[in-house]
C-alpha cells in the first residue's frame, strides 16, 4: 500500500524495535540513508539495528558510526526480532539474507521509479527525489529530532553521490536546498568530495586496466567497460568508472559489466537520452531513467551479449 510521508513518520513513531536495511552492492545513498535514519531513530529512543548484507566500499569509512552496520550473513541468529523492517533505496529482492531473518511488517522508502512495492506492507515512493537521503531529510522535519552534524554528514554523502555531486539531471531545486541545509548543519563538502574521489593503488590499477577494455557499439552510441574476473580481483570498488566513458561525445548509453562471481555479473548503466530503467527492468533490475542497473546470472561473455542486445533493442525502440 502506498502511503504519504506523514504516514511514514507515524509508522516510525509507533514502532519501538526497528531494523533498517538497504540494498546489496551498496552505494553512498544506501549507506548514507541507512546510517542517517538509524541515528534519527536512536535519538527518538527507539531500539534500532542496521544491516547491509554486502561489503561496504572503503571510501565510506569516513561516515559517522559506519561500524554499527551489521551483516545478517555473519549472525548466528535464526530470527532477528523487530516490530518493523525499514527497507531503504530498493525493493525487497535486493536486500539479501536479512529479508529471511526479520519477520516483521515492511516499510519501504525509495526514490527509484521502477519500485512497484512488491511484498511490502507500506511503500513511500518519491521518484522526484534525487536520492533516498533527500527523502530522509524531508522526513526528519516531521519527526521530533535535531539534525546533528553526524546525521547531516550521512545525508549529504548520499545526496552528493547520487547526483554526481550535483551534476546529474536528477539535481532539482529541492536537492540544492537540502544540500544547503545540511551544510548549515556542519557538513564540509570538500572533505566528503575528497574522500569519495580517493582511490587505492589497486583500484587505480584496476581503473587503468578497465579503461583498456572500452568498446563501442551501434555506431558509437553505446560504450561499454568490462571488469572481467582478472580485473575484479584488483579492485575493491568500481565507483566512478562508468563516468569516464559516459562523457564521450556521441555516446548515448554507457555501461559497466562487472564479474562478481561465476555466473553472476552486475551491470550499471548511464544514459543521455535512453530510458535505461526500462532496460534494467527487462533484466530483473531497476533504477532511474538515466541511471539504472541489474544482475545477470550468466557467464561473463554471455552476460556481455545479453546486455549489448538489450541496449540495442532500446536504441532501435
Amino acid at each position: 500500500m502506498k502511503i504519504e510521508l506523514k504516514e511514514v513518520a507515524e509508522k516510525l513513531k509507533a514502532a519501538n524495535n526497528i531494523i533498517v536495511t538497504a540494498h546489496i552492492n551498496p552505494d553512498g545513498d544506501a549507506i548514507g540513508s541507512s546510517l542517517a535514519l538509524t541515528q534519527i531513530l536512536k535519538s527518538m529512543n527507539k531500539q534500532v539495528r542496521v544491516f547491509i548484507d554486502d561489503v561496504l566500499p572503503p571510501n565510506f569509512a569516513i561516515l559517522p558510526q559506519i561500524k554499527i552496520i551489521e551483516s545478517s550473513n555473519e549472525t548466528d541468529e535464526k530470527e532477528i526480532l523487530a516490530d518493523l523492517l525499514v527497507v531503504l533505496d530498493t525493493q525487497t529482492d535486493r536486500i539479501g539474507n536479512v529479508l529471511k531473518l526479520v519477520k516483521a511488517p515492511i516499510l519501504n522508502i525509495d526514490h527509484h521509479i521502477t519500485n512497484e512495492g512488491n511484498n511490502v506492507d507500506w511503500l513511500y515512493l518519491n521518484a522526484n527525489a534525487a536520492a533516498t537521503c533527500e527523502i530522509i531529510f524531508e522526513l526528519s522535519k516531521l519527526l521530533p529530532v535535531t539534525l546533528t552534524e553526524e546525521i547531516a554528514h550521512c545525508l549529504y554523502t548520499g545526496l552528493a553521490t547520487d547526483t554526481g555531486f550535483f551534476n546529474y539531471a536528477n539535481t532539482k531545486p529541492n536537492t540544492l536546498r537540502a544540500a544547503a541545509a545540511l551544510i548549515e548543519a556542519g557538513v564540509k563538502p570538500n572533505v566528503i568530495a575528497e574522500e569519495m574521489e580517493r582511490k587505492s593503488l589497486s583500484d587505480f590499477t584496476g581503473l587503468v586496466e578497465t579503461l583498456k577494455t572500452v568498446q563501442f557499439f551501434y555506431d558509437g552510441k553505446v560504450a561499454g567497460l568490462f571488469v572481467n574476473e582478472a580485473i575484479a580481483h584488483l579492485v575493491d570498488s568500481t565507483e566512478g568508472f562508468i563516468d569516464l566513458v559516459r562523457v564521450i561525445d556521441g555516446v548515448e548509453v554507457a555501461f559497466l559489466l562487472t564479474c562478481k562471481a561465476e555466473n553472476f555479473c552486475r551491470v550499471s548503466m548511464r544514459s543521455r537520452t535512453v530510458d535505461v530503467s526500462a532496460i534494467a527492468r527487462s533484466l530483473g533490475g531497476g533504477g532511474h531513467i538515466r541511471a539504472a542497473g541489474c544482475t545477470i546470472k550468466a557467464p561473463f561473455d554471455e552476460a556481455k551479449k545479453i546486455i549489448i542486445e538489450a541496449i540495442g533493442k532500446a536504441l532501435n525502440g
Side-chain angles (χ1 to χ4, degrees), residues 228-292:
N228 58 28
E229 188 173 357
I231 298 174
H233 285 308
L234 293 173
V235 299
D236 294 316
S237 172
T238 58
E239 187 72 27
F241 284 20
I242 195 171
D243 293 321
L244 297 177
V245 294
R246 180 182 63 86
V247 297
I248 296 172
D249 192 28
V251 171
E252 294 183 21
V253 179
F255 72 92
L256 173 71
L257 177 66
T258 304
C259 175
K260 301 300 291 186
E262 186 178 359
N263 297 328
F264 191 88
C265 302
R266 282 177 177 160
V267 178
S268 296
M269 292 177 282
R270 300 290 184 272
S271 169
R272 295 179 188 271
T273 58
V274 177
D275 181 358
V276 290
S277 71
I279 300 171
R281 191 186 296 122
S282 74
L283 296 172
H288 306 287
I289 291 174
R290 299 289 175 256

Side-chain angles (χ1 to χ4, degrees), residues 45-65:
N45 296 317
K46 307 292 184 181
Q47 296 295 316
V48 192
R49 295 172 72 184
V50 54
F51 290 85
I52 295 180
D53 285 353
D54 208 341
V55 176
L56 304 180
N59 298 67
F60 297 106
I62 192 175
L63 291 182
Q65 299 191 35

